[in-house]
Amino acid sequence: MIMKFEKSIIKTINQRTSKRAYKDLEIESNKLQEINQILKKEFTGPFGGKSRFELISCGNNDSSEKRRLGTYGFVRGARYFIIGILKKEEKNIADFGFSFEKIILKMTELGLGTVWLGGSFRYNQFEKCSDIKENEYIAATTPVGYSLEKPKAYEKIISWSIGSRKRKPWSKLFYLGDFSTPLTKKIAGKYASALEMVRIGPSARNEEPWRVVKDETTNTFHFYLQLSRRKPADDLPAMKQMDLGIALSHFVLTAIDEKLKGKLVKMNPNIDTSSGYLYYIASWIGE
Ligand SMILES: Cc1cc2nc3c(=O)[nH]c(=O)nc-3n(C[C@H](O)[C@H](O)[C@H](O)COP(=O)(O)O)c2cc1C
């Protein structure tokens, strides 16, 4: 995959916030080329899940009404969107989240605004101006462009109402050994930054469904999805799987940046999950 980050990923993750109002500005042609180059190849996530992405500009040169394209008016002024496409039979939605978040962070690095949109857009309008095949669907999308520096009043209201930028403290997200002992930054040691980047990541409705348990003696970190009710383990909600993909991408990208060696695997951590509706997703085995 041709995607390299030039800047510190910690800086970029900190810089990214959801942008829902855009300036009426074109993206420069060299940047458009770079984006198309990045999106050209099919993306494969850490567990083999495949997804593809297209840059579209349906509303270009059209009335502002059309530029609200498919977003129920939540996003204003955007000329370009990146749409994330999955095959209907693709089960690994966390891998999609992983790949899409990398793209979002790359756009942030290029100075462009984005916002994950998983629910509030009209799929069929996007489908009309993209190259969606019979066996595919749009799993999520983001506008991409130059955002307004000062959010409009309505954007403030949306951000406020879903508690944007507020995040749960470490003690509610990260644990040591099992789900009863909170993990401190001190014990997380060289992995404290990677976990902090998980903590501040974006999630649907800002629900932060990720939970991580560090092994007591090794640098193995087990990632779980916390739900508010029981679901079949083989049919977890798509948005939540994307959220976990985002968490994994922040963790892995930060680990790479900090030269921490390790790999993502699926294993059986054998941790008691009876304290909540907790679903195992994956583990990082670090040196
Ligand atoms: C999978 C996913 C789906 C999302 N869907 C929507 C959406 O449909 N509409 C919207 O306005 N924001 C959506 N968001 C944006 C979140 O509300 C936002 O990321 C979160 O509140 C945190 O705010 P921040 O991105 O500014 O840090 C989505 C985020 C994720 C990760």
Side-chain angles (χ1 to χ4, degrees):
M1 181 196 318
I2 351 156
M3 183 152 54
K4 270 175 66 187
F5 289 93
E6 314 290 335
K7 297 180 186 160
S8 141
I9 201 73
I10 291 179
K11 211 173 138 202
T12 305
I13 290 172
N14 270 291
Q15 211 179 331
R16 187 219 56 82
T17 56
S18 291
K19 303 285 195 266
R20 296 180 178 86
Y22 290 83
K23 287 182 193 159
D24 194 12
L25 268 184
E26 276 292 331
I27 300 176
E28 304 86 326
S29 63
N30 61 331
K31 271 193 190 173
L32 286 177
Q33 260 179 16
E34 189 172 347
I35 297 170
N36 279 318
Q37 192 66 25
I38 290 166
L39 304 185
K40 211 165 69 184
K41 275 200 185 165
E42 188 174 57
F43 281 63
T44 306
F47 300 106
K50 293 196 185 336
S51 29
R52 65 180 193 90
F53 300 89
E54 269 182 35
L55 179 71
I56 59 167
S57 64
C58 289
N60 210 354
N61 299 327
D62 239 316
S63 67
S64 62
E65 183 51 41
K66 273 218 176 136
R67 277 199 220 135
R68 289 184 194 170
L69 175 83
T71 57
Y72 295 123
F74 275 154
V75 175
R76 301 275 166 91
R79 291 176 176 221
Y80 293 93
F81 285 81
I82 294 174
I83 52 171
I85 302 160
L86 280 176
K87 289 217 171 84
K88 284 178 182 156
E89 73 263 20
E90 179 62 67
K91 289 278 172 275
N92 204 331
I93 316 283
D95 271 5
F96 170 84
F98 189 98
S99 299
F100 200 23
E101 180 66 1
K102 277 171 76 172
I103 293 169
I104 296 249
L105 291 172
K106 188 64 203 178
M107 296 306 114
T108 309
E109 198 184 82
L110 291 174
L112 298 166
T114 54
V115 54
W116 267 89
L117 296 173
S120 57
F121 63 95
R122 295 177 210 127
Y123 296 87
N124 48 5
Q125 284 205 34
F126 281 103
E127 281 168 5
K128 268 182 219 152
C129 39
S130 62
D131 182 23
I132 302 286
K133 312 215 168 43
E134 189 70 8
N135 64 339
E136 294 177 328
Y137 69 99
I138 298 176
T141 180
T142 176
V144 57
Y146 293 101
S147 60
L148 287 172
E149 279 94 27
K150 279 199 188 144
K152 292 257 171 73
Y154 77 87
E155 195 186 15
K156 274 193 200 147
I157 292 163
I158 296 174
S159 300
W160 173 82
S161 64
I162 49 180
S164 180
R165 282 332 256 183
K166 282 210 203 99
R167 299 293 194 262
K168 291 186 178 77
W170 269 58
S171 59
K172 296 233 153 52
L173 301 174
F174 307 137
Y175 298 89
L176 182 64
D178 58 27
F179 280 100
S180 60
T181 316
L183 175 68
T184 61
K185 282 191 180 171
K186 199 169 171 207
I187 292 173
K190 59 186 180 181
Y191 280 94
S193 300
L195 287 171
E196 179 63 10
M197 294 307 108
V198 171
R199 193 182 76 84
I200 67 169
S203 55
R205 296 166 175 272
N206 209 17
E207 284 177 346
E208 309 155 81
W210 39 71
R211 302 290 179 269
V212 183
V213 181
K214 183 190 176 298
D215 183 74
E216 270 175 303
T217 50
T218 66
N219 281 320
T220 297
F221 293 83
H222 306 294
F223 285 72
Y224 285 82
L225 166 62
Q226 161 103 64
L227 295 180
S228 53
R229 62 175 70 102
R230 193 175 302 286
K231 288 271 179 188
D234 59 354
D235 191 23
L236 298 171
M239 292 297 134
K240 306 283 184 192
Q241 292 191 57
M242 289 181 203
D243 290 343
L244 262 291
I246 293 171
L248 290 171
S249 78
H250 283 202
F251 189 93
V252 171
L253 291 173
T254 309
I256 292 170
D257 224 33
E258 306 232 299
K259 313 242 172 334
L260 302 173
K261 291 211 175 77
K263 59 180 180 190
L264 279 180
V265 297
K266 297 231 187 216
M267 56 188 279
N268 180 4
N270 245 329
I271 294 170
D272 180 8
T273 54
S274 58
S275 60
Y277 301 116
L278 291 154
Y279 296 85
Y280 174 70
I281 302 293
S283 306
W284 168 270
I285 302 184
E287 281 177 3

